[in-house]
Amino acid sequence: MYNNYIFDLYGTLIDINTDEWNDDLWKKIAILYAYKGAHYTYDELNEEYDRLVQAEKKAVLKKSPDTKVVDIKIEKVFRKLFTQKGVKVTKAEVFFIAEAFRCYSTKYIKLYDGVLDLLDTLKAKGKKIYLLSNAQRSFTENELNMFDLTKYFDGICISSDEECSKPDEKYFKTLFDRYGLEKSESIMIGNDYISDIGGAADFGIDSLYIHQSISPDIDGELRSTYKVMDGDVYKIKKLIINHS
C-alpha cells in the first residue's frame, strides 16, 4: 500500500510549453534591464546569460562535487547581469526580472485534465502528496499558486533550492530525509523515463510513468512499476490508488 505519492510537476501535473531562445523574449528582457541602467543588446544579453548559467553550474559542482546532476538558482544569474554593468538592484527587482522572463517565454500553460480529481482523491483517502520537481522556485512558486496547487502538497522540493536535480539519487534522498518517508510506502509519478523513472528505480522506489506530448522520447528501458502511455491522468487512480 502506498501512503506517499511523489509527483513531478511539468509534463505530469502541468502542461507547459516555453521558448527561452526566442529573439522577442531577449529584446523585452533587454528593455527591462535598460530601465534600470544595465544596457545590453538583446543578443549580448542572451550570450551573457548563457555564459553565467554555465559558470554557476561549475561553481555549484566545485562546492558540491558529489552532486551528479546540478541545478542553479537562476536569480543569481539575473542579479549578475545587473552587477556586471555596475547596477545595484533589490531582491524584489531580481525576482521581477525572473517572473517577467518566465512570463514572456511561456507559450502556454495549463493543468492536464484529471489532475485536480487525482489530487482530491488522494487527499480524501488520507494519502500524503509530495512534489519533487526539476525547476526554478522563482518560476514554479507562481505557477503552483496560479493553479491553487500548493495546498495539496505535504512537502515540496524544488531543484534550484537544493542545487541538485533528478535523476540524482541525492535529490530523492533530500526529500525522503526531510519528510521522514519510507521507500516501501512511496511511489514516484512522472513523465520523464530518465529523470523521474530512472531516478526512482536507482533510489529504490516504485514508480508510475505517464507519457505526455512533452515527454522525452524513450530510448532505452522504461523501468517503471506502472505505466500510462496515452497521457490519461484519470487512469492513475485505477492503477495505484483505488486498490490502496
Side-chain angles (χ1 to χ4, degrees):
M1 176 183 292
Y2 301 120
N3 292 317
N4 309 310
Y5 290 76
I6 305 158
F7 286 91
D8 169 57
L9 185 59
Y10 301 110
T12 302
L13 301 178
I14 291 177
D15 185 11
I16 189 169
N17 185 291
T18 62
D19 183 359
E20 297 182 359
W21 300 273
N22 187 288
D23 284 351
D24 287 340
L25 163 67
W26 291 102
K27 288 175 182 177
K28 290 173 182 176
I29 299 300
I31 291 171
L32 288 177
Y33 271 86
Y35 284 167
K36 301 297 181 181
H39 296 280
Y40 292 92
T41 63
Y42 79 89
D43 52 349
E44 179 191 8
L45 183 64
N46 192 346
E47 290 173 4
E48 280 301 293
Y49 173 88
D50 290 342
R51 184 185 68 80
L52 290 171
V53 165
Q54 294 306 314
E56 280 297 315
K57 288 181 178 179
K58 290 179 181 178
V60 170
L61 193 56
K62 184 176 181 180
K63 181 176 64 176
S64 303
D66 62 325
T67 301
K68 297 176 183 176
V69 189
V70 302
D71 200 358
I72 65 170
K73 295 178 174 68
I74 203 65
E75 311 91 73
K76 291 183 178 181
V77 171
F78 289 126
R79 181 178 291 278
K80 286 182 178 180
L81 288 167
F82 283 112
T83 58
Q84 67 185 17
K85 291 289 187 177
V87 177
K88 293 183 179 179
V89 287
T90 64
K91 183 177 180 181
E93 288 171 326
V94 171
F95 271 88
F96 174 76
I97 290 289
E99 291 170 345
F101 181 89
R102 183 64 162 184
C103 180
Y104 292 148
S105 64
T106 298
K107 298 171 72 173
Y108 68 78
I109 183 170
K110 61 184 180 180
L111 288 180
Y112 288 107
D113 289 341
V115 164
L116 295 182
D117 175 72
L118 173 60
L119 297 178
D120 284 334
T121 299
L122 287 169
K123 282 297 182 186
K125 286 181 170 287
K127 305 298 184 181
K128 299 291 186 180
I129 305 174
Y130 299 91
L131 182 68
L132 189 68
S133 179
N134 287 358
Q136 290 294 323
R137 178 169 288 278
S138 56
F139 301 163
T140 298
E141 199 163 51
N142 290 324
E143 290 161 358
L144 288 173
N145 290 336
M146 74 182 283
F147 293 118
D148 200 23
L149 291 180
T150 307
K151 66 185 181 184
Y152 286 102
F153 295 107
D154 296 282
I156 292 175
C157 276
I158 297 176
S159 61
S160 66
D161 292 344
E162 312 304 331
E163 297 183 327
C164 182
S165 301
K166 295 174 291 185
D168 199 325
E169 292 176 53
K170 178 181 175 182
Y171 188 34
F172 284 83
K173 188 174 186 300
T174 296
L175 177 77
F176 275 67
D177 288 350
R178 184 169 298 163
Y179 298 105
L181 308 186
E182 295 291 337
K183 290 184 179 182
S184 61
E185 299 177 351
S186 305
I187 185 167
M188 176 80 211
I189 300 100
N191 76 300
D192 189 310
Y193 85 102
I194 295 176
S195 293
D196 301 318
I197 306 308
D202 289 341
F203 186 63
I205 60 173
D206 287 354
S207 65
L208 180 143
Y209 173 78
I210 182 164
H211 186 81
Q212 300 288 9
S213 60
I214 65 174
S215 294
D217 291 338
I218 298 174
D219 181 19
E221 182 185 1
L222 177 58
R223 302 164 66 195
S224 61
T225 315
Y226 309 90
K227 60 184 178 181
V228 175
M229 300 305 295
D230 62 0
D232 187 348
V233 174
Y234 288 101
K235 290 181 178 178
I236 295 175
K237 286 201 299 186
K238 296 178 182 178
L239 289 173
I240 61 172
I241 299 175
N242 287 345
H243 69 280
S244 295

